[in-house]
Amino acid sequence: MAIPLPRPLHSLSVEELTAAAKDRRWPKWQTMALLHSLDLPTLNATFLRPGQSAAEIRAAAHALASAVGTERLMIRSDGGVEKKQYYRGGNTFPIGEIAQRAQPLLADGRAVILAGPTNRFTNCLTVMARMDRPGPGVRGTFTLEGLGPGYDVADMTRGELPPQITAQLDDVDWDNFAKPRWNEWTFTGDRCPGGEDARRRRRLERLAAQTLADGGQLAGDPRPEHAEAWLRERGYLVLFGPQDPRPALMRRAPKLFEDAFMLARAQPNRNWRCLATAFSVFAEPRTVYWDLVDGERKYAAAAPAAARAKKEAA
C-alpha cells in the first residue's frame, strides 16, 4: 500500500485532523493535530512516516517551506512510546540538508516531523504547564513553571533547569470549568541553587553540548564559554539581560489555565493522571504550544512489542 505524500498540518481537513488526533502511534503528531483542531497556536508541520523515500522527503520539505515562507525547517522525531534515549530534535537546517538528516531516523523506524523554524535563542517566555489529579472525578492541581528571555522548553524538559517562577492552583475540578480568582494562585520565586548565574551556565552547557553541536555551529569539544561567545557575536543577548518572568507569567496565567482545561477535556485518555504541555512566547511576537504529554504513556522500557501491547491492553 502506497504511503500518501505528506501535507502541511494547517492544510488538513477537519476529518484528517480528527483521525490524526486519535492515532496514538505517534504522540507528538497526535497532539499537534489536537492542538490545531482546537485552534490553539502550534507550528505548521509535516509528518513523515518510516518508509518514505528521499524524493518524498524532499517534496514534503519543499511544500512545507513554501507554505511557511522559509528556506530552513525544524526537525523533530516521533517514535511512539519513548525510551529514555532518543533523538533530541528541535534544531533547524537548510532545506537541502533535510533529507539526509531525516533518512536515518526513518530507517530506524521513527517518524519525522518537519516544522516551521523558530529562533530558540531569543525566546521571551517559556512555560511548562502541568495538570495533575489522583483519578477521574477527583480534584487536582494546575502548575505553571516559567523561564524568561533566552531560555527554551528543552531547558526544563531535558536540561532539568529549575524555573525562575512557579504558579499553582490547588483544588482544581478538571470536570467543571471555573475561572480562578487571583487569591487562589500561589506564586513562588526563584529557588535555583547558586541563583541566576548557575542557571545561565547550565543553559550555556546544554547549548554547547547539544544544540550548537548538533546544528554544526560548534565543533570539537565545545564549552559553555564557546556557546556564550557564539551568542554574543550574533547579537543574541537576552539571556544575559534582566530575568524577571513573573509579570509576563501572571498576565498569561488565566488564559493558560483555560487552554489547559480545554486540552484536558479533549484528551483521548479519559483516565489520565498527569498531563503536561509546553508554551513559548517568541520574539516576533508569536506564541506556540508544543505537545500534550500523558505522563503514563511517555516512556517505556526496552521491552518486546508483545509485552508493550499487553501492557497497553491492560
Side-chain angles (χ1 to χ4, degrees):
M1 181 178 178
I3 301 174
L5 187 66
R7 292 176 22 240
L9 177 68
H10 292 188
S11 72
L12 299 184
S13 67
V14 173
E15 293 76 16
E16 290 170 319
L17 286 172
T18 299
K22 292 179 179 178
D23 189 345
R24 287 171 46 193
R25 293 175 298 172
W26 317 106
K28 291 187 181 73
W29 185 248
Q30 175 191 19
T31 61
M32 290 183 77
L34 177 64
L35 287 161
H36 187 57
S37 70
L38 295 173
D39 291 326
L40 293 175
T42 190
L43 295 174
N44 201 355
T46 291
F47 184 69
L48 303 174
R49 299 174 182 272
Q52 301 211 260
S53 67
E56 290 174 320
I57 296 170
R58 287 192 290 270
H62 281 283
L64 177 62
S66 177
V68 175
T70 182
E71 296 182 354
R72 297 174 65 85
L73 293 174
M74 179 191 301
I75 290 184
R76 308 181 73 201
S77 77
D78 200 354
V81 179
E82 304 286 11
K83 300 176 184 178
K84 289 293 184 180
Q85 297 298 323
Y86 64 97
Y87 177 74
R88 309 297 188 179
N91 281 337
T92 60
F93 304 96
I95 297 174
E97 296 182 19
I98 294 299
Q100 69 186 55
R101 290 182 175 273
Q103 279 184 300
L105 294 167
L106 297 174
D108 195 36
R110 295 187 65 84
V112 169
I113 298 173
L114 306 180
T118 67
N119 188 336
R120 65 199 314 173
F121 311 116
T122 60
N123 291 339
C124 296
L125 178 68
T126 296
V127 181
M128 289 295 299
R130 175 168 167 158
M131 297 142 266
D132 289 279
R133 65 177 185 179
V138 183
R139 290 176 177 265
T141 60
F142 178 60
T143 306
L144 298 172
E145 295 181 334
L147 287 172
Y151 292 94
D152 70 17
V153 169
D155 289 318
M156 286 192 277
T157 59
R158 303 174 195 165
E160 300 180 351
L161 269 68
Q164 294 164 323
I165 182 69
T166 300
Q168 183 165 310
L169 285 172
D170 295 318
D171 199 33
V172 175
D173 183 350
W174 288 109
D175 295 310
N176 299 285
F177 178 77
K179 187 174 182 178
R181 295 184 292 271
W182 275 114
N183 65 335
E184 295 176 305
W185 289 94
T186 299
F187 289 90
T188 305
D190 188 358
R191 292 181 175 176
C192 178
E196 193 56 39
D197 288 343
R199 182 187 287 102
R200 186 182 297 110
R201 181 167 181 83
R202 289 175 63 182
R203 162 69 167 163
L204 292 171
E205 288 173 349
R206 199 186 65 77
L207 285 178
Q210 298 178 24
T211 305
L212 297 177
D214 180 55
Q217 293 95 337
L218 294 179
D221 182 24
R223 310 298 299 168
E225 52 269 25
H226 300 150
E228 178 172 353
W230 188 92
L231 291 173
R232 290 186 180 278
E233 287 170 4
R234 287 153 183 81
Y236 299 144
L237 305 178
V238 291
L239 180 66
F240 311 105
Q243 293 286 339
D244 183 15
R246 181 185 177 102
L249 184 64
M250 291 180 70
R251 285 195 303 271
R252 293 185 179 272
K255 182 61 167 62
L256 289 169
F257 176 70
E258 292 178 17
D259 292 348
F261 186 89
M262 180 167 55
L263 280 170
R265 297 296 294 165
Q267 159 71 340
N269 176 18
R270 304 311 304 155
N271 295 317
W272 65 270
R273 301 293 190 276
C274 175
L275 302 174
T277 187
F279 177 81
S280 294
V281 180
F282 301 137
E284 283 88 335
R286 180 167 57 121
T287 62
V288 159
Y289 279 101
W290 293 92
D291 301 313
L292 178 64
V293 176
D294 185 339
E296 293 182 345
R297 297 175 176 173
K298 172 66 173 175
Y299 296 110
R308 292 199 299 270
K310 182 178 179 180
K311 183 178 179 181
E312 282 291 326

